[in-house]
Amino acid sequence: MKKIIVAPLNWGLGHASRCVPIIHFLIENNYTPVLASDGAALKFLQKEFPELPFLELPSYDISYQKNLKWGLFLKIPKIWKAVKQEEKVIANYIEANSDVAGLISDNRFGVRSKKKPSIYMTHQIQVFAGAATFLTSFFHQRIIKTFDECWIPDTIHSDFSGNLSDLSNSDIKVKYIGVLSRFKAKSAEQIIDVLILLSGIEPNRTDLEIKLKKVFKDYPGMVLMVLGRIENQQTRVIEEGIEVVNFLLSEALEEKLLSAKLVVCRSGYSSIMDLAVLQKKAVFIPTKNQSEQEYLAKLMMKTQRAPFQKETDFSIKSLDLVVKYAGLKVEQKPLANELLRLF
């Protein structure tokens, strides 16, 4: 079977998790996906698809600083060096594997080829960065244009990405492919009072873990905390009345989410899509100074789907806010076979 390289950015697990339905789609259409990434994102995909070939890519080594924008700016030379190395790894792999039919990059700049159709997947045509938004968006769009096509995982009306996927003054070739989630909506008994889903990169993931363990200490209802730490072995412990598990793969996480009355998590785009497909109620805690998450949290509140709280302000009383909101909901549609026309 022909191979297609699927390469998510290693920034938390959101990019990798939203590639899961893409990978299933490719398998259903008789392609062999090649899992390409680094760090936790690659480990996650290898656990989800242990039978598939994989390719380790150079790390962009993204981490948060107190000032996220400045921290990323300082890392640009290192990131660009990794991108150039990534291009060489991809070129060498294609040279050695004549059965590669194409590439799908989820926000990895160097996963492209002049010899094979190359798709770039993102919900951020506009990259919000305060006063620097024009520049960050301009450079991101220049990168996108080096690919043959851009896939936007959202409805054609940008119901979930809002202005992030605004195409004004842009001639990028895009296709809205619909909301992507590895989960399916089903009925289930609601036995978990609060499911806390942690994600993102360090040290912010750990900071929120520590904060929420204090907030939910001795909470009278059932609380499950999924740490989002991909490790060799799965672990479960009870801490101060909270069940804590280091990670859950898709099938097990779907079961727990379906059983939850309420979800507390970051306002990452993949998390929002997952919760919408499962028709859940949520309270979001956007990462401070992460413009995308702050924008998405405000969008969900403005459209009366879910409230948000700043990390410093979050308390048990924050859970009461959900009664004023309709919850997240979207009709999940299968990916169209027409998307494969380039391959």
Side-chain angles (χ1 to χ4, degrees):
M1 291 192 292
K2 291 183 178 180
K3 296 174 181 174
I4 295 181
I5 297 170
V6 181
L9 179 66
N10 180 32
W11 180 311
L13 294 178
H15 294 278
S17 66
R18 75 182 183 189
C19 282
V20 169
I22 296 286
I23 293 167
H24 282 301
F25 174 62
L26 294 174
I27 293 172
E28 289 164 6
N29 284 275
N30 299 314
Y31 290 96
T32 298
V34 178
L35 313 176
S37 192
D38 67 283
L42 181 58
K43 289 180 182 177
F44 167 76
L45 290 179
Q46 286 177 302
K47 286 182 179 292
E48 289 280 342
F49 302 97
E51 74 285 358
L52 290 180
F54 69 92
L55 177 62
E56 187 166 4
L57 299 176
S59 174
Y60 289 11
D61 194 26
I62 299 171
S63 61
Y64 283 123
Q65 311 289 327
K66 288 185 178 180
N67 186 317
L68 174 62
K69 300 181 187 77
W70 181 243
L72 284 175
F73 178 78
L74 292 176
K75 286 205 167 193
I76 287 175
K78 190 171 184 178
I79 291 172
W80 197 246
K81 182 179 179 181
V83 169
K84 300 317 258 179
Q85 292 172 339
E86 185 173 64
E87 290 175 345
K88 291 179 181 178
V89 171
I90 292 296
N92 290 339
Y93 188 87
I94 291 174
E95 186 70 26
N97 294 268
S98 59
D99 53 352
V100 173
L103 307 91
I104 300 174
S105 165
D106 186 334
N107 282 263
R108 293 199 77 115
F109 303 157
V111 180
R112 60 178 186 252
S113 171
K114 293 181 180 179
K115 298 180 179 179
K116 304 291 180 179
S118 302
I119 305 297
Y120 190 82
M121 186 164 73
T122 187
H123 61 281
Q124 288 184 275
I125 304 298
Q126 308 296 330
V127 181
F128 293 166
T133 294
F134 173 78
L135 281 176
T136 52
S137 299
F138 173 76
F139 284 115
H140 192 216
Q141 289 171 30
R142 282 194 64 178
I143 290 168
I144 296 172
K145 288 178 182 179
T146 65
F147 289 75
D148 295 297
E149 190 169 272
C150 177
W151 290 356
I152 298 178
D154 199 354
T155 67
I156 195 166
H157 301 295
S158 298
D159 289 325
F160 292 90
S161 55
N163 292 335
L164 290 171
S165 60
D166 180 21
L167 291 167
S168 300
N169 303 316
S170 172
D171 57 353
I172 296 171
K173 297 177 183 177
V174 305
K175 283 198 172 295
Y176 287 87
I177 65 174
V179 168
L180 281 181
S181 175
R182 50 189 163 145
F183 303 134
K184 304 289 183 185
K186 305 170 193 171
S187 59
E189 185 181 359
Q190 307 285 282
I191 59 175
I192 299 172
D193 291 286
V194 181
L195 192 155
I196 302 167
L197 189 58
L198 298 178
S199 59
I201 55 180
E202 300 293 1
N204 298 63
R205 192 214 60 80
T206 295
D207 291 343
L208 186 57
E209 175 188 341
I210 293 169
K211 160 83 175 182
L212 293 182
K213 281 180 177 176
K214 291 178 181 177
V215 170
F216 284 94
K217 179 182 177 181
D218 299 322
Y219 182 75
M222 182 178 176
V223 180
L224 172 64
M225 176 179 283
V226 182
L227 299 180
R229 288 205 313 247
I230 304 299
E231 298 171 326
N232 292 333
Q233 299 295 323
Q234 191 177 73
T235 60
R236 291 176 183 271
V237 296
I238 302 296
E239 298 182 20
E240 306 288 357
I242 304 170
E243 182 181 359
V244 180
V245 58
N246 55 347
F247 71 90
L248 292 173
L249 295 180
S250 295
E251 185 176 351
L253 182 56
E254 178 185 79
E255 178 186 340
K256 296 299 184 183
L257 283 167
L258 287 167
S259 301
K261 299 174 185 176
L262 177 65
V263 178
V264 175
C265 65
R266 295 292 194 193
S267 49
Y269 191 66
S270 295
S271 296
I272 289 172
M273 289 193 295
D274 286 341
L275 296 177
V277 164
L278 296 178
Q279 302 180 24
K280 306 306 295 185
K281 291 211 166 195
V283 178
F284 291 117
I285 307 175
T287 303
K288 185 179 179 181
N289 295 325
Q290 219 271 39
S291 300
E292 175 210 2
Q293 286 194 12
E294 291 173 339
Y295 169 77
L296 289 171
K298 291 174 183 176
L299 178 64
M300 293 303 106
M301 179 177 277
K302 182 179 179 181
T303 53
Q304 289 294 304
R305 285 178 276 190
F308 77 89
Q309 288 275 275
K310 294 180 180 179
E311 188 169 329
T312 52
D313 297 338
F314 187 87
S315 69
I316 291 298
K317 289 185 178 179
S318 302
L319 305 182
D320 297 333
L321 296 170
V322 296
V323 298
K324 301 178 182 178
Y325 294 82
L328 294 109
K329 185 176 182 180
V330 70
E331 180 185 356
Q332 190 176 28
K333 296 180 179 179
L335 291 165
N337 287 341
E338 188 267 343
L339 291 173
L340 300 172
R341 75 196 187 289
L342 291 178
F343 306 133

